Amino acid sequence: MNIPRSRGNGRPALTRPDGTPVRVLVVDDDPDLAEVLSGALRYEGWEVRAAADGACAVDEARGLLPDAVVLDVMLPDTDGFAVLRELRTVKPDVCVLFLTARDAVEDRIAGITAGGDDYVTKPFSLEEVVARLRGLLRRAGMARQLDEGPRLIVGDLVMDEEAREVTRGGELIELSPTEFELLRFLLRNPRRVLSKAQILDRVWSYDFGGQAHVVELYISYLRKKVDAGREPMIHTVRGAGYVIKPVAGR
């Protein structure tokens, strides 16, 4: 089996909508297979954890909150269908790709009936597993290609750079040109603390010195428009600057 080379074969990288790595849980009691699968998925740039049985899978899912799960039907302590039901209570929208035996038609039918999104039969190619997962994630709206357009997305906040439109939760937000540029700089650096000096240099092209109040003022304007009546995404890191990040759990 060959590990797919997403960054070396021209295939666009796939990330979560907020730009962070896709999270995948691999559940299989064959340690060699789990290791090879995990390696292939990490090569995509994704965050991957593995579990060898159903109980461990549910525990790992609670910590990871995976976007997708590669789940073997046959596990030492239970079957994959029971695990799927537990996973749905942890993260209802998780994508599930079942691994089944080549001739287990009843497993494939049962997997789809139980709520699985897709399946592959053993033996399989790693390329097929990766392709199936990429398709599931994109159709579910849980991932995006880095080259799919001039949109910046963090959580439910979306900026269309060409149309110069910003929405949060699908609701249009009207911004002034300066507010737009400030938000764009924040969205291009999700989860990264940006100092007032960095913001002044990028948005206003000022050298730092006596202009900090300008940043504070426009951050307050943005908060009133972006965070008003919602859980906040724009945060102050005392003594360091500002950071934008998705609401916890999204």
Side-chain angles (χ1 to χ4, degrees):
M1 290 187 287
N2 295 320
I3 294 178
R5 299 179 179 273
S6 63
R7 286 163 289 185
N9 66 5
R11 184 166 62 206
L14 200 69
T15 72
R16 305 179 82 215
D18 64 2
T20 57
V22 169
R23 302 170 187 168
V24 183
L25 176 63
V26 174
V27 186
D28 198 295
D29 62 336
D30 181 334
D32 293 333
L33 178 58
E35 182 179 356
V36 172
L37 261 175
S38 297
L41 300 178
R42 289 192 182 99
Y43 202 82
E44 293 289 307
W46 299 348
E47 180 180 352
V48 183
R49 296 187 193 175
D53 58 43
C56 290
V58 175
D59 286 342
E60 288 287 356
R62 289 195 177 102
L64 181 63
L65 293 178
D67 303 301
V69 178
V70 180
L71 179 57
D72 191 12
V73 170
M74 300 300 295
L75 295 169
D77 59 341
T78 184
D79 61 55
F81 311 133
V83 175
L84 170 59
R85 290 191 289 272
E86 290 291 324
L87 292 174
R88 295 287 192 206
T89 66
V90 175
K91 196 168 188 290
D93 59 350
V94 65
C95 297
V96 176
L97 176 68
F98 275 116
L99 304 179
T100 72
R102 177 185 289 279
D103 57 354
V105 176
E106 66 276 10
D107 284 350
R108 301 199 295 270
I109 295 173
I112 299 302
T113 302
D117 299 288
D118 202 352
Y119 65 86
V120 293
T121 56
K122 298 180 179 180
F124 52 79
S125 72
L126 294 179
E127 187 72 27
E128 179 183 11
V129 172
V130 172
R132 294 287 187 95
L133 284 175
R134 287 172 68 93
L136 287 178
L137 290 162
R138 296 208 63 188
R139 287 195 296 273
M142 299 174 71
R144 68 183 183 96
Q145 287 182 186
L146 293 180
D147 66 346
E148 68 180 15
R151 295 200 308 163
L152 301 173
I153 305 173
V154 175
D156 61 350
L157 183 62
V158 180
M159 172 180 284
D160 186 321
E161 294 184 277
E162 284 190 353
R164 296 189 70 82
E165 289 184 350
V166 175
T167 60
R168 181 165 181 190
E171 181 181 341
L172 187 65
I173 300 173
E174 298 288 345
L175 298 177
S176 71
T178 302
E179 291 166 350
F180 186 90
E181 291 303 322
L182 174 56
L183 183 60
R184 173 153 57 184
F185 187 43
L186 293 172
L187 289 174
R188 285 180 173 175
N189 297 275
R191 301 179 185 271
R192 177 185 172 193
V193 178
L194 301 171
S195 69
K196 292 176 182 177
Q198 289 174 307
I199 294 172
L200 280 169
D201 181 65
R202 173 60 181 82
V203 180
W204 282 274
S205 299
Y206 290 167
D207 291 328
F208 187 66
Q211 302 293 338
H213 67 282
V214 174
V215 178
E216 295 166 4
L217 182 63
Y218 273 87
I219 287 288
S220 71
Y221 291 161
L222 271 187
R223 282 178 167 147
K224 289 175 182 176
K225 295 183 177 182
V226 172
D227 290 340
R230 307 177 179 96
E231 292 188 64
M233 293 179 64
I234 301 171
H235 303 271
T236 300
V237 179
R238 190 176 298 276
Y242 303 96
V243 61
I244 192 166
K245 55 188 178 180
V247 174
R250 294 190 179 179

